[in-house]
Amino acid sequence: MDSDDDFISNMSSEEDMLPDDSDNDMSNYEDYGFDDEPDAYSDSQKETGHGKKVAYDFSFKVYQPSDIQKQQDDLINEVNMILDISKEEAAILLRYFRWNKERLIEDYMDRPGQVLDAAGLSQSAAGPPKIQVIPGFVCDICCEDEPGLESFALKCGHRYCVDCYRHYLSQKIREEGEAARIQCPSEGCTLIIDARSLDLLVPQDLTDRYHELLHRTYVEDKETLKWCPAPDCQNAVECAVKKKDLDRVVPTVSCLCGHRFCFGCILNDHQPAPCELVKKWLKKCADDSETANWISANTKECPKCNSTIEKNGGCNHMTCRKCKHEFCWMCMGLWSEHGTSWYNCNRYEEKSGMEARDAQARSRVSLERYLHYYNRYANHEQSARLDKDIFHKTEKKMVQLQKESGMSWIEVQYLNSASQALQTCRQTLMWTYAFAFYLARNNLTEIFEDNQKDLEMAVEALSEMFERPITELADPKLKVEIMDKTTYCNKRRVILLEDTAQNLAEGKWTFNVEFSGSAANGGPSTRR
Amino acid sequence: MASQKRIAKELTECTSSPPTGVTVFLPKDSDLHRWHAILDGPENTVYQGGKFGLVISLPTDYPFKAPTITFATRIYHPNITNDSLGNICLGLLKPENWKPSTRLLSVLEAVRALLVEPLPDDPLEARIADEYRSDRKEFEKTARNYVQRYAKGPPKFDSSENSSTAHEGDDKKGGSGSGTGGS
């Protein structure tokens, strides 16, 4: 199947399915795509974009808090005008429909009563919310009945004293972080409190928090929007890549704050490895199953007290340091039974002994394979950190370099670009090793390994130049070399990523672990 | 304090016109925030004939926060932990569902309803829930055994107040107030 058609076939197949959330999101996306001006999408990245529409391309857009607010306001205003309902009600309805305007309008036109009920809006028309004093009122929550007690009720008429209402709302907002779906305090009443009533009841600091929480639900409710996970960053990123696409694409997005992350799993950029493999890899590295693997490959247990023993040389006559049990390392049998053939265990060729040896050998091979990839992965991770440290030091040196060589600030920026390149390339390299660990050999893996090797060599060369003392850096020849190498590294990285991404999109990789999507079977790619 | 008034009122309600098969009382030396109740195993259920002690704790923020209810008597039930803690899974009491206007009267009714009809799809004890669904006979047998073993005679409320089974008054057990005696 042509990869271009892939997305299209996906979209059309959605229509066969029951109208569920994903369906709506797709229509949202389409709508968005057509309504906005064509250049609204910033091209994702140099390396995957080039403006061409290819299978592994995906676009994304970064929104700042004001953009997000405006989008919500626009939608609310639109629904407010089309359906002739108040803005508060429009907002509640939109939240109920997870901001799917089309479905809201359609459903509302068909059966307004049911929609309002379901969203927690009862139909009776009433004036603006107000606090009242009603003679003979007893608050059902605190049981106070003193005359002059101020009370409040939503349209449902469940009336409670203002103090209880406040207490209830502040607990919901402050402790439970609830905003869009706070119901009337009455048992069984599903009416949702609207923003205007809330503003009337609670103090300013709480309304601020409330609006912040509301603001958040907009992003959290939409599958195409995600918060940038960088600390203190308030931007959100829009990307149309769905969960089910994640076996085909690694959607790395970069926020305006500079943070690059995967839209699929919110982790730091992990191209070229797909999210699922990343998850597996991280779990594998975090698990102490590998420790166990090592233990099983390198140690045996004392047959008597089960202490773990690593044989560090010497003969097969073992004496457990803990329990003083004497046994043969080969057959694990009692040493005393060996009679006189001390250094030649005659039970060695027994079946059980051979099985035990095979198991140990297999364990050792798989451990070595894992360690091969893990060491390289960890090495790049560490090197990226060290490169960063060096850069911080170099930053100071850049100032020094300006003074000594008479270069301008702009002219020493090549060091900055070199450092950036080193870090992104190492990040990529790091994940190529995790990716390679799960890759089953076929003729594509060779190309992949060549690309990996090229990038690695370029990165190491650049890294070496980067670490040179400041006096050498002032040499214009080295400067040109560094700049060239930087460009080369970036180019090699793009080549590697394009190659892996394309094969991923076309389902050409085979993996040695279960991988969702047809890729694991190695057969021709048909989705679903 | 506002909540005191509400609690006092609810306690009066619960003691003067208690829900079917439930007796509510305040244990000795307890403040208003800790109640005890005895729940009679509902008729035509495996729990029939058992008397189950319930401990009702009202948080200081009551009624804005939900009360917690635990079984002081061991019971074999998909929605109640099969241990000495006797925790209950009751949708009504979950923070997101709790409404400050909900009365303990309806909470106690909900607990009783749980004995009449367990909710195996929302279990605390997955194994018991499985058994309830797939091997009802075995479930009923074990549940009846538990009643015989733990729920006969006056319930013990093992707590800091040293088994305050002593409760006088209008419950059906008539003079069972001797209890196991505190130290």
Side-chain angles (χ1 to χ4, degrees), chain A residues 247-267:
Chain A
D247 56 335
R248 292 307 175 110
V249 66
V250 186
T252 297
V253 297
S254 58
C255 179
L256 293 178
C257 72
H259 183 62
R260 290 161 49 80
F261 65 98
C262 169
F263 191 82
C265 63
I266 309 298
L267 292 173

Side-chain angles (χ1 to χ4, degrees), chain A residues 140-141 175 184-185 187 189, chain B residues 6 61 64-65 99 101 103:
Chain A
D140 216 18
I141 295 176
E175 291 177 31
C184 159
E187 187 182 356
C189 180
Chain B
R6 154 93 182 245
D61 228 5
F64 296 99
K65 289 244 173 82
K99 291 289 187 78
S101 62
R103 300 277 161 156

Side-chain angles (χ1 to χ4, degrees), chain A residues 135-163:
Chain A
F137 166 73
V138 182
C139 175
D140 216 18
I141 295 176
C142 63
C143 302
E144 291 293 340
D145 55 359
E146 60 194 57
L149 189 64
E150 284 189 318
S151 63
F152 178 82
L154 291 170
K155 282 180 187 170
C156 55
H158 299 119
R159 186 166 288 280
Y160 301 100
C161 82
V162 169
D163 277 349

Side-chain angles (χ1 to χ4, degrees), chain A residues 93-378:
Chain A
L93 282 179
L94 275 165
R95 285 188 195 106
Y96 179 74
F97 280 91
R98 306 220 155 218
W99 299 92
N100 187 330
K101 182 190 72 195
E102 286 73 25
R103 212 181 80 180
L104 159 60
I105 291 171
E106 206 171 289
D107 280 18
Y108 188 84
M109 295 293 194
D110 286 353
R111 39 194 167 86
Q114 258 172 287
V115 168
L116 288 174
D117 275 355
L121 289 164
S122 75
Q123 245 181 328
S124 72
K130 54 179 182 286
I131 291 170
Q132 286 177 299
V133 175
I134 288 176
F137 166 73
V138 182
C139 175
D140 216 18
I141 295 176
C142 63
C143 302
E144 291 293 340
D145 55 359
E146 60 194 57
L149 189 64
E150 284 189 318
S151 63
F152 178 82
L154 291 170
K155 282 180 187 170
C156 55
H158 299 119
R159 186 166 288 280
Y160 301 100
C161 82
V162 169
D163 277 349
C164 284
Y165 236 114
R166 268 190 200 131
H167 194 122
Y168 173 70
L169 294 175
S170 61
Q171 182 194 308
K172 285 280 171 200
I173 296 167
R174 199 164 278 151
E175 291 177 31
E176 295 172 27
E178 187 62 72
R181 291 166 190 97
I182 303 179
Q183 297 177 342
C184 159
S186 175
E187 187 182 356
C189 180
T190 56
L191 190 69
I192 288 170
I193 187 152
D194 57 281
R196 264 204 298 175
S197 303
L198 194 126
D199 290 345
L200 180 75
L201 287 165
V202 301
Q204 182 66 37
D205 61 325
L206 228 87
T207 51
D208 290 349
R209 173 90 182 128
Y210 171 76
H211 287 284
E212 193 192 319
L213 288 168
L214 276 188
H215 180 71
R216 273 197 212 164
T217 57
Y218 176 71
V219 172
E220 282 152 14
D221 275 353
K222 291 192 92 164
E223 220 195 319
T224 50
L225 278 178
K226 269 173 191 164
W227 293 112
C228 168
D232 295 328
C233 180
Q234 294 192 309
N235 299 336
V237 176
E238 177 165 37
C239 178
V241 170
K242 297 282 186 329
K243 240 197 164 106
K244 59 177 165 43
D245 300 328
L246 290 177
D247 56 335
R248 292 307 175 110
V249 66
V250 186
T252 297
V253 297
S254 58
C255 179
L256 293 178
C257 72
H259 183 62
R260 290 161 49 80
F261 65 98
C262 169
F263 191 82
C265 63
I266 309 298
L267 292 173
N268 287 352
D269 171 28
H270 55 68
Q271 280 176 336
C275 297
E276 199 185 321
L277 295 182
V278 167
K279 216 169 125 196
K280 278 198 170 87
W281 176 256
L282 290 176
K283 187 166 178 287
K284 188 172 177 64
C285 296
D287 265 4
D288 48 13
S289 66
E290 291 312 320
T291 315
N293 231 340
W294 184 90
I295 288 171
S296 81
N298 295 285
T299 68
K300 290 182 180 179
E301 282 170 3
C302 165
K304 195 176 170 201
C305 72
N306 290 332
S307 300
T308 306
I309 298 169
E310 183 190 5
K311 188 162 151 24
N312 56 0
C315 73
N316 289 331
H317 180 183
M318 304 300 289
T319 307
C320 174
R321 208 179 270 181
K322 242 183 184 163
C323 69
K324 310 288 177 220
H325 179 67
E326 290 179 52
F327 63 97
C328 167
W329 183 256
M330 282 301 176
C331 69
M332 305 303 281
L334 275 176
W335 189 252
S336 53
E337 287 174 6
H338 274 63
T340 49
S341 58
W342 294 104
Y343 296 101
N344 181 15
C345 174
N346 53 8
R347 301 198 204 171
Y348 180 60
E349 292 307 330
E350 263 177 31
K351 198 166 170 267
S352 63
M354 271 165 76
E355 274 170 6
R357 247 181 335 129
D358 285 353
Q360 283 225 343
R362 269 198 303 278
S363 171
R364 202 162 294 156
V365 167
S366 92
L367 179 71
E368 266 164 21
R369 181 168 183 277
Y370 167 71
L371 286 177
H372 169 88
Y373 290 108
Y374 179 76
N375 285 336
R376 282 156 185 78
Y377 165 87

Side-chain angles (χ1 to χ4, degrees), chain B:
Chain B
M1 206 176 160
S3 68
Q4 297 294 337
K5 199 165 177 176
R6 154 93 182 245
I7 295 171
K9 195 174 168 199
E10 282 206 73
L11 186 63
T12 321
E13 259 172 31
C14 284
T15 44
S16 61
S17 52
T20 337
V22 184
T23 321
V24 176
F25 56 94
L26 217 53
K28 258 194 276 176
D29 312 321
S30 170
D31 61 18
L32 278 171
H33 289 270
R34 191 185 175 82
W35 302 8
H36 283 174
I38 294 171
L39 172 63
D40 296 328
E43 273 176 36
N44 302 322
T45 70
V46 288
Y47 306 109
Q48 186 173 353
K51 287 197 179 296
F52 300 92
L54 296 178
V55 179
I56 302 155
S57 310
L58 309 179
T60 44
D61 228 5
Y62 184 82
F64 296 99
K65 289 244 173 82
T68 49
I69 298 196
T70 52
F71 269 74
T73 309
R74 288 285 292 267
I75 182 167
Y76 193 76
H77 190 286
N79 309 96
I80 300 160
T81 56
N82 188 16
D83 55 22
S84 56
L85 298 175
N87 291 320
I88 313 180
C89 174
L90 206 58
L92 191 68
L93 298 180
K94 285 181 186 160
E96 65 270 26
N97 297 337
W98 174 254
K99 291 289 187 78
S101 62
T102 312
R103 300 277 161 156
L104 277 165
L105 218 59
S106 43
V107 175
L108 289 168
E109 272 163 11
V111 174
R112 190 171 183 276
L114 200 60
L115 295 203
V116 176
E117 190 165 358
L119 304 168
D121 293 331
D122 192 12
L124 264 185
E125 292 286 347
R127 197 198 56 76
I128 300 180
D130 280 348
E131 189 181 79
Y132 180 82
R133 272 186 298 231
S134 58
D135 190 355
R136 187 67 63 88
K137 274 224 172 83
E138 188 59 33
F139 166 80
E140 288 179 348
K141 199 175 129 199
T142 319
R144 285 207 182 87
N145 270 339
Y146 267 61
V147 172
Q148 288 302 323
R149 224 156 95 201
Y150 299 108
K152 289 290 174 184
K156 295 190 185 86
F157 296 93
D158 267 345
S159 64
S160 50
E161 303 120 50
N162 288 325
S163 61
S164 49
T165 43
H167 66 287
E168 279 77 41
D170 53 352
D171 72 275
K172 302 159 194 93
K173 291 192 280 103
S176 64
S178 57
T180 44
S183 55

